[in-house]
């Protein structure tokens, strides 16, 4: 089966995940595909994860980091322009089980051309000196496999650590939790001066020339179809947050002039199903009255602000604004 080289010229994570799915679902199945792509600042969560339990929501919002759910399982990963992603799409063959290592071997061999000794480690990692620089995951359906992985060449590891450093609120969820590992970039192990563009070129050259790949350029019609899929799925709150499994959150915050506030709420099928508040704040009414306005809402800023529009939050939580309450719920 011929192997075709693809690449994305965009860094929009929602577009690129839609592009992966388009190739998987729509492009001819009589060939296999290898694609290189990059995302600007983003957290990509696994299909079966609870998004709220994987991200530092306040940090993500402050730094404009996009959060997108992918089709495959596994843990959450951070992408930025110091990272290159690779995707293999091919037939599963007689065994449709998850075999991650076979698709990691080309990356290891490509790094050998740079004089870097990398190893496949554990269930889905590639490491240098015992430190992870590549995480991998797979999606298998109807005899077809999509394998994708990260290659951290010169990623901002401090941003990654902060974005994935979930505040120590109590979150109970049936979602699959990420396993945090010691991580590194590839660049410190490269001899000479090689930037991310040069590293992309090394990967492309190894795959295209040494493995004799054909190359395909996406047509305007194909791009339009990808954009439609992006807007229908990967740019939606329902897919990225609402598909999280049932979970409950308990948060405690102290607000100057108001006091300690502890909020507890449950989310199921993407909406708040229960909400209570405790603390040493002063209140002119029962917070349960305000809770009735929040039940049935998506736990996202616009929906919560709309539900509380015209409500005097200060009446229920003395010296607390509507925006501050929403921030406590979400951050």
């Amino acid at each position: 089966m011929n192997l075709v080289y693809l690449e994305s010229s965009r860094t929009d994570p929602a577009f690129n995940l839609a592009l992966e799915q388009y190739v998987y679902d729509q492009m001819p199945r009589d060939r296999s595909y290898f694609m290189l792509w990059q995302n600007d600042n983003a957290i990509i969560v696994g299909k079966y994860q609870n998004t709220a339990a994987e991200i530092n929501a306040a940090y993500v919002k402050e730094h404009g980091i996009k959060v997108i759910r992918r089709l495959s399982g596994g843990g959450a990963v951070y992408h930025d322009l110091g990272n290159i992603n690779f995707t293999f799409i091919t037939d599963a063959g007689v065994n449709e089980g998850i075999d991650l290592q076979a698709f990691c071997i080309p990356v290891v061999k490509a790094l050998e051309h740079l004089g870097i000794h990398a190893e496949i480690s554990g269930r889905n990692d590639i490491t240098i000196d015992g430190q992870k620089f590549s995480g991998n995951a797979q999606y298998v359906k109807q005899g077809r496999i999509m394998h994708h992985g990260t290659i951290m060449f010169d990623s901002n590891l401090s941003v990654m650590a902060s974005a994935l450093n979930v505040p120590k609120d109590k979150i109970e969820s049936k979602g699959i939790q990420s396993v945090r590992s010691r991580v590194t970039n590839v660049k410190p192990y490269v001899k000479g001066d090689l930037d991310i563009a040069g590293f992309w070129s090394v990967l492309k050259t190894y795959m295209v020339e040494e493995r004799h790949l054909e190359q395909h350029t996406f047509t305007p019609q194909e791009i339009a179809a990808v954009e439609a899929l992006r807007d229908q799925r990967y740019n939606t709150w329902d897919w990225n947050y609402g598909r999280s499994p049932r979970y409950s959150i308990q948060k405690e915050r102290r607000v100057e002039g108001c006091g300690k506030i502890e909020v507890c709420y449950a989310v199921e099928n993407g909406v708040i199903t229960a909400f209570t508040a405790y603390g040493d704040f002063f209140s002119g009414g029962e917070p349960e009255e305000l809770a009735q306005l929040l039940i049935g809402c998506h736990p996202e800023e616009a929906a919560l602000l709309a539900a509380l529009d015209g409500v005097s939050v200060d009446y229920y939580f003395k010296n607390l604004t509507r925006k501050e309450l929403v921030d406590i719920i979400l951050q």
Side-chain angles (χ1 to χ4, degrees), residues 62-226:
E62 180 183 354
H63 291 82
I65 299 171
K66 292 188 176 181
V67 180
I68 310 290
R69 186 184 301 280
R70 62 178 185 266
L71 287 175
S72 61
V77 291
Y78 173 73
H79 290 178
D80 62 15
L81 295 180
N83 174 81
I84 293 177
N85 305 295
F86 66 95
T87 304
F88 285 97
I89 295 174
T90 189
D91 283 348
V94 295
N95 180 13
E96 291 195 11
I98 302 295
D99 180 11
L100 295 161
Q101 294 199 4
F103 296 94
C104 296
I105 291 173
V107 174
V108 172
K109 290 188 175 298
L111 290 175
E112 287 179 359
H113 286 246
L114 293 173
I116 299 171
H117 176 66
E119 297 181 326
I120 300 170
S121 174
R123 62 172 191 156
N124 64 337
D125 298 340
I126 311 177
T127 64
I128 300 174
D129 288 344
Q131 297 185 89
K132 174 180 174 179
F133 69 88
S134 175
N136 294 262
Q138 283 185 357
Y139 173 69
V140 183
K141 181 181 178 183
Q142 297 177 347
R144 199 78 163 156
I145 291 178
M146 175 166 66
H147 176 109
H148 42 201
T150 61
I151 306 175
M152 294 192 301
F153 181 77
D154 192 20
S155 288
N156 191 323
L157 300 184
S158 64
V159 172
M160 177 186 70
S162 297
L164 294 172
N165 182 24
V166 182
K168 298 192 182 301
D169 299 310
K170 184 179 180 183
I171 302 178
E172 295 181 354
S173 170
K174 293 184 178 180
I176 306 301
Q177 298 293 305
S178 292
V179 177
R180 307 301 180 201
S181 306
R182 292 180 61 199
V183 297
T184 188
N185 280 312
V186 172
K187 188 173 182 178
Y189 298 89
V190 175
K191 297 176 182 178
D193 187 19
L194 185 71
D195 60 12
I196 189 72
F199 184 59
W200 178 301
S201 180
V202 169
L203 294 173
K204 177 179 178 179
T205 299
Y206 173 77
M207 292 299 297
V208 172
E209 295 183 2
E210 298 210 12
R211 303 191 63 163
H212 309 292
L213 271 65
E214 303 173 14
Q215 296 190 57
H216 173 81
T217 301
F218 292 106
T219 67
Q221 292 78 17
E222 288 171 330
I223 294 298
V226 173

